[in-house]
């Protein structure tokens, strides 16, 4: 089947108006939010409206030997949804139905184009929520599944994979599979759901997602604790966790990032200048509870712990200010981007290694005469760094050193952004060849023609 | 390499005394707790003491083309550790070191032969625990990983896979891989750790397990609520969960099972005869908290909810009695076995389907003129049934119907016991052939010679 025939076939599947070709392609359908996207020439963008259409599209592309790239809402940070030249982009923007909110089983069943904001809205008034909270609420559930999105609530609530119970998928050749279900435990065959979460569209096309919901606790408070050093923040984390208070969010923010995000958000935290001058790092603790009384008790206990653990002071932020600070923190990526950051990476290390890792980062930055700022998920060791290095060769060498330092401390290249195209070279350079070979064999087991997101992900080579 | 040469090679790896052959094989090394074990003739039982020895054993067996079966402490219920004829049994009974309790990162690193009881003992006084709580504390961590063991705490704390952060493994050909690490989130390559958990020894040999620990809450109470019908128990679950009280355990026990386990344990729950006569099902709720005051509040709130939801009464069990009831419930399997149960199965269904499923079970039992009793994890839909049917053909037909009824209600064959050899025929008969084919390709990606636990698991055929 040549390209013209393939496009005709796709049009017969989804309808004339749902296939964009050539100049009719919206350029926004060809990139995500990553900072160094390739500029691809896609064959077309196709917008299916059902599982059956996705299966027919995959079968047609498979017959034609043409690669396919799934696309959610394009909020990814590693270029996993950026197609390679000649690929068919399968956009899930027309599959955004919330199929069911199942209150008896506490699950939601959604199409992959549904955004986190839409799901959250649909859950209003039920007492339930989908707790995974990556920075961007316009991200789609399908995209969250592809990257195993994390976010600030991972310390208590886990990441995407801990909430995905079932997937309906299409393999590269058009085969349909229903995997998992509305249950949290199973020991029945290989757990293919877990294998697919985080596979960046390289193994299957997801057409339906069943997620576990959790209880929305009514009371919330945000505590802000400035510390003189990041070492103290890092040392405080396990002490705080073992008390059993179970914070919903535990973030550290360095003083430069704090200045950047509060200024960008026009947010005044009313921290006295003498404290701000002495603080090199901030710890943000969000607590939730079933009652205002318990929340107050917990907040008092945490404040006492933090003071004992070296906090210069502890501020209980008024409700609005606390929400605004978390929102400002979520925008850190965009603030860094606007300020000219050339890379935003998210190495994960064992949480007790955050301070040693940042010491290594400072040493690397000094040696490269480069500027690096940061914030991150202190509770789970996921360090977000904004890197400012314009020179391309220097930039690549620098990133490789930053990743390598994380791996040496027992970590991994990415906690939640994924490998995509942005970190593919680094992933291949720094990963055990025996593991890479095994991943290639797994990829082959799912997609022997190598058509799903080839050469634009952590696995698979350009056909 | 012939058998004599292979045994000589294995002896040179682990030492003369750590290879049992022929009559020197302890029969207990060839079975687990499943009720219909095949009686195998193994080539030998070998007891390595290190990762390096396991790698050398795998390389030797791979060269000889001889199958391998990993063995923990033999507490499995589905025969996954029962070798097929001619296999080398790799017993992890000599790999039971607790390598590290890492208090800063809240993880433990153990060898696969370490038992749950041993790990629990090592954590005493740390304020932490490994919360996965399958019925049998002599089960090994390696075996728990192989079957993705669950247990009564899954409703709040999840199952084995939610706690395994890293694995050191050996592939069938002797290749070593270090997977995952001391972090809860990663988006760096396929999640091979999650794929291996629950794979019943068919993909790799696990030589080291890194698990996440959680906080041990100091206060605990057990509530027991008799209900007139199981429908009411089932309907009460989502209502209870949505309150935010977050019970550690939510078990239902039918009146026959309750009589059996309390009598076997010599336990008097002091339930008035009039209540016991009216109760067809019991709900057991275990609550935990950071303080006695909060525990009392929560217990009062739960008791009020349960009364409103139809409980005949709610008993707060004294500390010892509560612990004893949970222990008695854990022995349900052995009580059923001692009473002549021919099968003990653990279908999982969406938790709102527990009552409809049990109605189907009653209908099937009546039609087959068979006796079936049950209890289970009401919070997560994992239904444990004891089946009494001596006739072999009738037994197989009955099991197939019980599994099929669960699948039709949106469930799966096993919540935590696994497929092993006991349910392999049923798994193959009731699973989408496209999924089975994909599982075979995955198996091939890991183990192209088909040497790891072949023909004695959910995947792979006898070589």
């Amino acid at each position: 089947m040549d390209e013209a025939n393939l496009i005709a076939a796709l049009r017969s599947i989804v309808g004339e108006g749902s296939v964009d070709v050539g100049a009719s392609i919206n350029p926004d359908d060809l990139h995500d939010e990553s900072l160094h996207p390739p500029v691809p020439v896609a064959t077309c963008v196709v917008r299916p409206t059902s599982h059956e259409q996705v299966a027919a599209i995959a079968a047609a592309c498979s017959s034609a030997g043409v690669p396919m790239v799934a696309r959610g809402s394009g909020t990814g940070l590693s270029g996993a949804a950026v197609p390679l030249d000649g690929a068919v982009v399968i956009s899930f923007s027309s599959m955004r139905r919330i199929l069911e909110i199942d209150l008896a089983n506490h699950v939601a069943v959604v199409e992959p184009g549904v955004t986190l904001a839409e799901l959250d809205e649909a859950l209003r008034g039920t007492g339930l929520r989908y707790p995974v909270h990556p920075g961007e609420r316009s991200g789609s559930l399908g995209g969250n599944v592809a990257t195993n999105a994390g976010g600030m609530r991972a310390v208590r609530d886990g990441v995407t994979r801990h909430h995905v119970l079932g997937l309906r998928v299409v393999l590269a050749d058009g085969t349909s599979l229903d995997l998992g279900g509305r249950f949290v435990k199973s020991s029945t065959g290989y757990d293919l759901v877990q294998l697919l979460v985080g596979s960046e569209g390289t193994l299957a096309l997801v057409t339906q997602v069943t997620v576990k919901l959790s209880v929305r606790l009514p009371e919330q408070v945000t505590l802000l604790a400035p510390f003189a050093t990041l070492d103290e923040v890092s040392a405080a984390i396990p002490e705080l966790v073992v008390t059993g208070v179970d914070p919903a969010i535990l973030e550290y923010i360095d003083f430069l990032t704090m200045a950047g995000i509060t200024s960008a958000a026009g947010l005044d935290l009313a921290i006295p200048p003498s404290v701000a001058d002495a603080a090199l790092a901030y710890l943000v603790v969000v607590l939730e509870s079933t009652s205002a009384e318990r929340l107050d008790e917990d907040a008092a206990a945490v404040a006492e712990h933090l003071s004992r653990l070296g906090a210069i002071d502890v501020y209980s932020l008024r409700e609005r200010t606390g929400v605004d600070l978390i929102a400002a923190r979520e925008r850190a990526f965009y603030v860094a981007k606007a300020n000219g950051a050339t890379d935003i990476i998210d190495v994960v290390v064992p949480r007790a290694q955050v301070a040693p890792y940042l010491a290594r980062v400072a040493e690397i930055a000094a040696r490269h005469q480069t500027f690096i700022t940061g914030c991150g998920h202190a509770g789970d060791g996921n360090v977000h760094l904004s890197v400012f290095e314009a020179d391309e060769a220097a930039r690549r060498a620098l990133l490789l050193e930053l990743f390598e330092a994380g791996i040496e401390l027992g970590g991994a290249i990415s906690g939640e952004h994924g490998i995509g195209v942005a970190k593919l070279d680094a992933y291949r350079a720094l990963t055990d060849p025996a593991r890479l070979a095994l991943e290639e064999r797994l990829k082959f087991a799912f997609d022997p023609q190598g058509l799903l997101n080839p050469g634009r992900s952590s696995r698979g080579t350009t056909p």
Side-chain angles (χ1 to χ4, degrees), chain A residues 98 114-123 136-139 141:
Chain A
I98 293 174
V114 170
T115 67
L116 292 166
E118 288 164 353
L119 178 56
D120 198 50
E121 181 60 33
L123 292 170
E136 185 53 59
R137 281 164 47 87
S138 68
L141 268 293

Side-chain angles (χ1 to χ4, degrees), chain A residues 188-199:
Chain A
T188 309
Y190 297 146
D191 195 328
L192 302 178
V193 169
Q194 289 298 317
L195 181 58
L196 291 177
V197 175
S199 65

Side-chain angles (χ1 to χ4, degrees), chain A residues 95-376:
Chain A
M95 285 180 72
R96 53 202 307 165
R97 286 178 298 169
I98 293 174
L99 300 170
E100 191 178 348
I101 305 289
D102 173 349
L103 294 178
N105 289 304
H106 291 184
V107 304
V109 184
V110 304
E111 290 186 330
V114 170
T115 67
L116 292 166
E118 288 164 353
L119 178 56
D120 198 50
E121 181 60 33
L123 292 170
R124 191 174 294 216
T126 63
L128 300 174
R129 69 173 160 197
Y130 177 67
V132 182
H133 207 254
E136 185 53 59
R137 281 164 47 87
S138 68
S140 70
L141 268 293
N144 274 242
V145 168
T147 57
N148 185 26
M152 290 197 273
R153 293 181 177 277
V155 61
R156 189 189 65 191
D157 294 322
V159 298
T160 302
R161 75 165 61 261
H162 303 117
H163 299 270
V164 178
L165 302 180
L167 293 174
R168 191 165 201 211
V169 305
V170 170
L171 300 184
D173 65 1
T175 301
S176 295
L177 286 174
D178 277 299
L179 305 172
R182 300 181 191 192
F183 40 80
V184 295
K185 69 200 311 195
S186 173
S187 191
T188 309
Y190 297 146
D191 195 328
L192 302 178
V193 169
Q194 289 298 317
L195 181 58
L196 291 177
V197 175
S199 65
E200 300 190 306
T202 63
L203 299 181
L205 299 162
V206 171
T207 63
Q208 192 174 299
V209 186
T210 299
V211 293
K212 183 172 72 157
L213 304 173
S214 56
V215 175
R216 194 186 296 264
L217 297 176
E219 303 293 334
Q220 179 173 317
V221 69
T222 303
L223 302 179
L224 177 66
F227 282 81
T229 69
L230 191 72
D231 275 347
E232 289 171 295
V233 173
S234 198
I237 303 297
E239 303 269 350
L240 201 55
V241 171
V242 85
T243 62
V245 167
D246 212 9
I249 293 178
L250 269 180
E251 291 286 302
Y252 85 88
I253 304 177
D254 74 16
F255 72 107
L256 286 165
T257 302
M258 182 62 99
I261 64 173
T262 51
S263 144
L267 186 61
D268 181 8
L269 298 175
I271 299 171
S274 63
V275 173
D277 288 350
L280 281 182
Y282 292 83
L283 181 64
V284 181
V285 184
V286 175
L287 300 174
E288 293 180 340
S289 192
T290 47
S291 77
E293 191 187 3
R294 288 192 179 188
L295 188 69
D296 288 345
E297 282 173 18
D298 287 347
V302 167
E304 197 184 307
H305 283 300
L306 291 177
S307 297
R308 184 173 52 78
L309 295 164
I312 301 172
D313 204 341
V314 181
Y315 306 101
S316 176
L317 301 183
R318 283 175 303 112
E319 193 171 330
R320 193 64 249 158
T321 314
V323 170
D324 288 349
L325 175 60
I326 295 299
R329 161 62 189 89
E330 284 178 347
R331 305 298 295 171
F333 168 79
Y334 296 99
V335 173
K337 190 173 177 175
N339 284 323
T342 54
D343 287 282
I344 290 155
I345 61 172
D346 79 312
V347 168
V348 64
V349 293
R351 72 176 175 220
Q353 301 290 353
V354 167
Y357 179 64
L358 288 171
R360 291 285 300 276
V361 169
E363 181 270 315
I364 293 168
R367 186 154 36 75
H368 283 260
Q369 299 186 294
T370 303
F371 184 57
I372 301 178
T373 65
C375 54

Side-chain angles (χ1 to χ4, degrees), chain A residues 30-114:
Chain A
L30 302 181
H31 67 80
D32 63 3
E33 295 290 340
S34 59
L35 295 176
H36 303 277
V39 180
V41 183
T43 292
C44 63
V45 175
V46 54
R47 285 179 295 278
T49 56
S50 70
H51 173 87
E52 290 68 27
Q53 287 189 359
V54 175
I57 291 166
C61 289
S62 176
S63 293
V66 170
M68 296 162 263
V69 178
R71 175 176 188 80
S73 57
T75 60
L77 298 174
S78 295
V82 177
L84 83 168
D85 289 352
V88 168
V89 174
I90 303 175
S91 164
F92 285 92
S93 58
S94 297
M95 285 180 72
R96 53 202 307 165
R97 286 178 298 169
I98 293 174
L99 300 170
E100 191 178 348
I101 305 289
D102 173 349
L103 294 178
N105 289 304
H106 291 184
V107 304
V109 184
V110 304
E111 290 186 330
V114 170

